[in-house]
């Protein structure tokens, strides 16, 4: 090949390689732009966040202008009050449900501890009941003694229904009424046999595993609530003395008002003096626990009649072995509730006087729940006078059967 041809070939080859180099550079540049733009959009989308509610509303305000027209919301005051009332009722129901669950949990723990310690467990707590107990409105326990046969008969003849009427009261109204008594120091003796014969005739006794005695009223009260709670599932448990007149329908209507409240303690609240002098009635041997001489007790319900809700009866039943007993049973009951969250309800209709006091109130439409004489801590000579009190202050039999709880 000549020198001329070689020069031409070399020149064309150099031109071709420059051409490819330029094309390769342009291709690389375009490819770089493509990937750079792609990666930038990905990073931007990853870093992008949705506007918050505040930002969205700010943008909306900007788009609508600086003076948007506020929307008028019409509120019905009656509807708002209704919502508040419904919310309050719902909270009370929830509180009572939680309280009941706490009591049941405490009972289960008590059974578990008894099993672990090898202690005997009662059939009521250790065994699961195959059938669901009926829920009653109230159990009324009438505290009585071996020597009070005339008082019991006077109550049977006035405010306590008998026979089929008492069964109807239990089935239709959910009200249990029993005379409450333990046994004598010599179990099976003549006193116990007399009560057994009376019970066979009337069938209206609740017998307690308790030795009777005036100085043992605190223990009897504790045993009564524990026993009644294990036998009947009720909203309320009531204790009343056998020398007090009671209007059952009015009592039921009073308790129903507090049915949805948890841990309720109802009675005529008082705060009497702590009596340190020996030999006087209502002497308090442990007076020194209440401070200096002349001090008064804490507020508690007077012992003639008081009621507690189901959760408090459960509390007594679970803790009965560690609850301290003072000389006076009403003081003991109040002391058991001092350290827990209890609602004290002071209702003076539970402690009316005998006629003319209760009679005037009945005529004014404010029928009393219970009537007695403060001077006698009950109706003076109740076996003879309770019929008169019933005639002048009683609510009438129709009131009981027409009442709805």
């Amino acid at each position: 090949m000549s020198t001329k041809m070689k020069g031409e070939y070399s020149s064309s080859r150099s031109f071709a390689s420059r051409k490819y180099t330029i094309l390769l550079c342009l291709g690389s540049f375009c490819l770089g732009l493509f990937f750079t733009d792609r990666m930038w959009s990905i990073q931007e989308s990853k870093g992008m966040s949705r506007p918050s509610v505040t930002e969205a509303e700010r943008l909306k305000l900007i788009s609508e202008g600086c003076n948007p027209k506020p929307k008028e919301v019409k509120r019905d005051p009656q509807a708002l009050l209704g919502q508040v009332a419904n919310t309050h009722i719902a909270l009370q129901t929830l509180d009572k449900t939680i309280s009941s669950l706490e009591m049941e949990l405490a009972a289960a723990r008590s059974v578990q501890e008894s099993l672990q310690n090898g202690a005997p467990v009662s059939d009521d707590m250790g065994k699961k009941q195959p059938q669901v107990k009926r829920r009653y409105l109230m159990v009324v326990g009438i505290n009585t003694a071996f020597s009070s046969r005339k008082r019991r008969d006077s109550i049977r003849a006035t405010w306590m229904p008998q026979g089929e009427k008492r069964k109807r009261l239990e089935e239709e109204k959910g009200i249990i009424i029993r005379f409450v008594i333990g046994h004598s120091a010599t179990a099976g003796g003549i006193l116990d046999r007399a009560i057994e014969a009376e019970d066979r005739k009337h069938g209206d006794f609740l017998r307690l595993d308790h030795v009777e005695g005036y100085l043992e009223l605190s223990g009897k009260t504790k045993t009564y609530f524990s026993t009644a709670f294990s036998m009947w599932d009720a909203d309320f448990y009531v204790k009343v003395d056998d020398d007090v007149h009671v209007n059952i329908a009015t009592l039921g209507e009073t308790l129903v008002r507090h049915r949805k409240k948890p841990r309720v303690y109802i009675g005529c609240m008082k705060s009497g003096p702590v009596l340190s002098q020996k030999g006087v009635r209502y002497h308090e041997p442990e007076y020194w626990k209440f401070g200096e001489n002349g001090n008064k007790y804490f507020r508690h319900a007077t012992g003639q009649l008081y009621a507690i809700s189901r959760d408090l009866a459960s509390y007594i039943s679970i803790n009965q072995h560690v609850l301290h007993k003072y000389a006076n049973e009403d003081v003991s009951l109040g002391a058991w509730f001092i350290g827990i969250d209890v609602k004290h309800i002071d209702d003076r209709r539970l402690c009316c006087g005998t006629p003319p006091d209760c009679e005037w109130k009945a005529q004014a439409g404010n029928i009393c729940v219970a009537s007695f004489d403060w001077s006698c801590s009950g109706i003076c000579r109740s076996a003879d006078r309770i019929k008169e009190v019933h005639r002048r202050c009683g609510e009438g039999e129709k009131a009981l059967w027409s009442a709805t709880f």
Side-chain angles (χ1 to χ4, degrees):
M1 183 179 295
S2 65
T3 304
K4 185 176 179 179
M5 292 293 292
K6 288 180 179 180
E8 290 176 356
Y9 177 75
S10 175
S11 175
S12 62
R13 186 176 180 182
S14 175
F15 176 78
S17 64
R18 282 198 301 270
K19 182 179 178 180
Y20 288 131
T21 300
I22 292 170
L23 290 175
L24 182 61
C25 289
L26 288 173
S28 299
F29 178 73
C30 293
L31 190 63
L33 286 176
F34 173 76
F35 278 106
T36 301
D37 182 66
R38 178 70 177 167
M39 293 303 291
W40 178 261
S41 64
I42 292 174
Q43 291 295 329
E44 196 173 50
S45 65
K46 286 183 179 180
M48 187 180 297
S49 61
R50 294 183 177 181
S52 64
V53 176
T54 306
E55 292 173 344
E57 292 188 356
R58 189 183 296 120
L59 292 173
K60 185 178 179 181
L61 285 173
I62 293 173
S63 64
E64 292 179 352
C66 296
N67 296 312
K69 294 182 179 180
K71 295 181 179 180
E72 294 183 359
V73 180
K74 294 183 179 179
R75 299 181 182 273
D76 185 4
Q78 296 296 332
L80 289 176
L81 289 175
Q83 292 177 359
V84 171
N86 291 335
T87 303
H88 184 63
I89 293 173
L91 289 175
Q92 286 183 335
T93 304
L94 180 61
D95 193 10
K96 187 169 185 178
T97 303
I98 293 173
S99 176
S100 298
L101 291 174
E102 288 175 347
M103 292 299 180
E104 292 175 5
L105 178 61
R109 287 175 178 171
S110 177
V111 172
Q112 185 178 10
E113 290 175 0
S114 298
L115 292 173
Q116 291 175 349
N117 297 332
V121 180
S122 65
D123 293 338
D124 292 329
M125 297 181 67
K127 295 181 181 179
K128 292 184 178 179
Q129 297 291 339
Q131 57 183 5
V132 179
K133 288 184 178 180
R134 176 188 168 174
R135 176 65 71 88
Y136 293 91
L137 170 62
M138 60 180 173
V139 176
V140 180
I142 307 171
N143 181 42
T144 190
F146 291 112
S147 59
S148 299
R149 175 63 187 264
K150 290 184 178 180
R151 288 184 179 182
R152 292 192 293 272
D153 287 340
S154 68
I155 288 178
R156 293 184 180 114
T158 53
W159 60 266
M160 180 181 181
Q162 292 297 295
E164 292 300 321
K165 289 184 178 180
R166 184 166 58 83
K167 293 180 180 178
R168 180 185 169 193
L169 185 68
E170 297 176 3
E171 295 173 359
E172 295 184 10
K173 305 300 181 181
I175 299 175
I176 305 290
I177 305 178
R178 295 290 188 274
F179 288 106
V180 179
I181 195 168
H183 57 81
S184 63
T186 55
I190 187 173
L191 295 177
D192 293 298
R193 291 199 301 270
I195 292 296
E196 290 168 3
E198 189 178 345
D199 193 23
R200 283 194 297 270
K201 180 179 179 180
H202 298 283
D204 54 6
F205 278 92
L206 171 60
R207 301 300 302 273
L208 303 178
D209 184 13
H210 169 80
V211 178
E212 284 291 322
Y214 181 78
L215 298 178
E216 297 297 330
L217 286 179
S218 293
K220 183 177 181 179
T221 300
K222 183 165 57 174
T223 304
Y224 158 63
F225 283 124
S226 301
T227 305
F229 176 76
S230 67
M231 293 181 65
W232 298 288
D233 184 14
D235 291 323
F236 295 95
Y237 297 84
V238 182
K239 177 262 175 184
V240 59
D241 289 338
D242 62 3
D243 54 357
V244 174
H245 179 268
V246 179
N247 284 318
I248 293 295
T250 308
L251 174 61
E253 292 168 354
T254 300
L255 297 182
V256 163
R257 298 191 191 105
H258 310 289
R259 179 182 263 164
K260 294 186 179 298
K261 300 174 184 176
R263 298 177 299 278
V264 175
Y265 174 34
I266 307 173
C268 286
M269 299 296 164
K270 66 174 185 177
S271 179
V274 180
L275 302 178
S276 59
Q277 184 180 355
K278 291 183 179 181
V280 299
R281 193 180 184 186
Y282 306 128
H283 165 63
E284 178 58 71
E286 298 179 89
Y287 62 89
W288 59 272
K289 290 185 178 180
F290 298 93
E292 302 299 327
N293 288 340
N295 280 0
K296 291 186 176 182
Y297 288 113
F298 41 78
R299 288 281 174 184
H300 61 278
T302 186
Q304 285 80 6
L305 186 148
Y306 47 73
I308 62 174
S309 55
R310 180 182 182 274
D311 38 18
L312 291 183
S314 174
Y315 171 79
I316 293 174
S317 178
I318 294 168
N319 300 283
Q320 57 181 307
H321 300 297
V322 295
L323 294 176
H324 185 69
K325 297 177 293 183
Y326 289 99
N328 302 299
E329 50 97 8
D330 52 355
V331 173
S332 295
L333 185 70
W336 299 337
F337 300 150
I338 283 292
I340 58 178
D341 187 12
V342 172
K343 177 67 174 178
H344 290 62
I345 296 177
D346 182 21
D347 193 332
R348 310 315 290 183
R349 293 183 305 157
L350 275 65
C351 55
C352 295
T354 55
D357 179 49
C358 59
E359 186 176 21
W360 289 342
K361 292 176 179 176
Q363 292 173 355
N366 188 24
I367 298 176
C368 294
V369 173
S371 302
F372 57 89
D373 297 310
W374 282 103
S375 59
C376 297
S377 297
I379 298 176
C380 299
R381 296 179 289 106
S382 64
D384 300 323
R385 293 184 58 233
I386 196 169
K387 289 184 179 180
E388 177 195 358
V389 176
H390 184 67
R391 180 178 60 84
R392 298 173 64 179
C393 301
E395 61 195 354
E397 190 174 356
K398 290 183 179 179
L400 178 59
W401 302 116
S402 62
T404 55
F405 306 114

